[in-house]
Amino acid sequence: MNTKIQLQDLGNRDYKSTWEYQEELFKDIVDLKIKNRREELDLPTPNYLLFVEHPHVYTLGKSGDLENLLLNEKQLEAKGATFYKINRGGDITYHGPGQIVGYPILDLENFFTDIHKYLRFLEEAMILTLAEYGLESGRSEGETGVWLGVGTPFARKICAMGVRASRWVTMHGFALNVNVDLGYFDNIIPCGIRGKGVTSLNVELGVEKVDEEEVKSKIIKHLTQLFEAEFIN
């Protein structure tokens, strides 16, 4: 079992090229697992966490409803945004500047074989990170991701999640709003959930900008503890 996770910060990168890169890493791990089984080998499988910030983009999961995108092609172009249907779970979401997107590409057989536990650990890492900024967040029953004001009329989502897994290898992941222009969420019904808001860390703290590198370091710290992993560059 290899519990080391290679950390790669891709900076600002186009959604499509990042998705293709994820698919490449994902396929390499799956192919190695198949080779191990077929040839009765025990070669260690790698794990990755990609951090990235995307230009304005909307993505729709395989179970999502296209009607939750409230813009047509020309309107998307006018807003400088792109749109992709993708192979993760979940409905529609937005990615853009000021958002920390994390794509863990893990062989869960290196850690534990439980997708439910995996999602809860990703959520817990965000909840613990937000707590370091004095914010109480939590889960909303039946709705993946991390929320503030759960159970109140002011419930608002701060972190969206959507994953894909095959042969216990994961891809896609989480998107934490840190310094996001929340106006872009007005163009969708986020995650297909009506009547609930979206928020960002800087808005909740009442500041113009939060240090995103500091947020990433806190996320890594909590993922390290939860997954009993070691991050390497």
Side-chain angles (χ1 to χ4, degrees):
M1 281 173 41
N2 173 27
T3 57
K4 292 182 177 179
I5 300 174
Q6 296 178 43
L7 179 64
Q8 297 183 18
D9 195 324
L10 305 180
N12 190 294
R13 183 159 165 170
D14 170 73
Y15 186 85
K16 188 170 186 293
S17 68
T18 309
W19 184 15
E20 288 168 351
Y21 182 50
Q22 276 194 83
E23 291 277 14
E24 200 178 294
L25 297 176
F26 177 89
K27 183 179 184 300
D28 287 347
I29 298 172
V30 169
D31 287 350
L32 181 53
K33 294 184 76 165
I34 291 169
K35 177 184 172 76
N36 277 342
R37 188 164 299 175
R38 185 188 300 130
E39 300 179 19
E40 296 184 0
L41 301 171
D42 194 22
L43 300 170
T45 50
N47 307 288
Y48 304 91
L49 173 63
L50 310 180
F51 274 136
V52 66
E53 181 182 79
H54 292 305
H56 303 296
V57 61
Y58 296 100
T59 68
L60 183 71
K62 57 189 177 184
S63 57
D65 186 344
L66 187 55
E67 289 187 4
N68 291 325
L69 175 64
L70 307 178
L71 300 174
N72 60 34
E73 203 171 314
K74 281 188 177 178
Q75 290 169 321
L76 275 169
E77 195 177 315
K79 291 191 175 291
T82 52
F83 170 74
Y84 294 98
K85 289 183 180 179
I86 60 173
N87 58 354
R88 60 161 170 77
D91 206 286
I92 197 162
T93 195
Y94 161 77
H95 299 310
Q99 186 183 67
I100 294 175
V101 178
Y103 296 129
I105 306 168
L106 310 180
D107 179 1
L108 289 182
E109 288 191 299
N110 285 325
F111 303 95
F112 48 77
T113 49
D114 185 331
I115 294 294
H116 180 80
K117 181 178 178 180
Y118 170 66
L119 281 167
R120 300 297 79 81
F121 272 16
L122 292 186
E123 289 168 345
E124 189 65 19
M126 301 305 125
I127 290 167
L128 292 170
T129 296
L130 293 168
E132 292 200 56
Y133 290 92
L135 295 178
E136 185 179 340
S137 61
R139 300 170 179 87
S140 181
E141 193 174 341
E143 298 167 341
T144 303
V146 177
W147 301 72
L148 285 87
V150 176
T152 76
F154 309 106
R156 53 218 183 272
K157 194 171 205 173
I158 195 165
C159 183
M161 291 188 185
V163 304
R164 176 193 171 200
S166 176
R167 294 180 183 264
W168 297 113
V169 182
T170 68
M171 63 179 288
H172 300 296
F174 59 85
L176 179 66
N177 298 334
V178 180
N179 299 302
V180 177
D181 178 351
L182 295 175
Y184 276 83
F185 285 98
D186 294 340
N187 305 315
I188 58 173
I189 299 168
C191 304
I193 301 166
R194 294 180 183 273
K196 289 188 179 177
V198 179
T199 191
S200 187
L201 182 55
N202 67 324
V203 171
E204 295 295 328
L205 297 180
V207 299
E208 188 176 338
K209 189 170 174 62
V210 177
D211 184 339
E212 291 170 32
E213 294 308 312
E214 181 184 80
V215 178
K216 288 177 192 173
S217 69
K218 293 180 189 302
I219 291 170
I220 291 165
K221 176 179 71 176
H222 295 302
L223 289 174
T224 298
Q225 293 165 347
L226 289 162
F227 283 85
E228 298 180 6
E230 177 190 349
F231 279 87
I232 56 174
N233 291 313

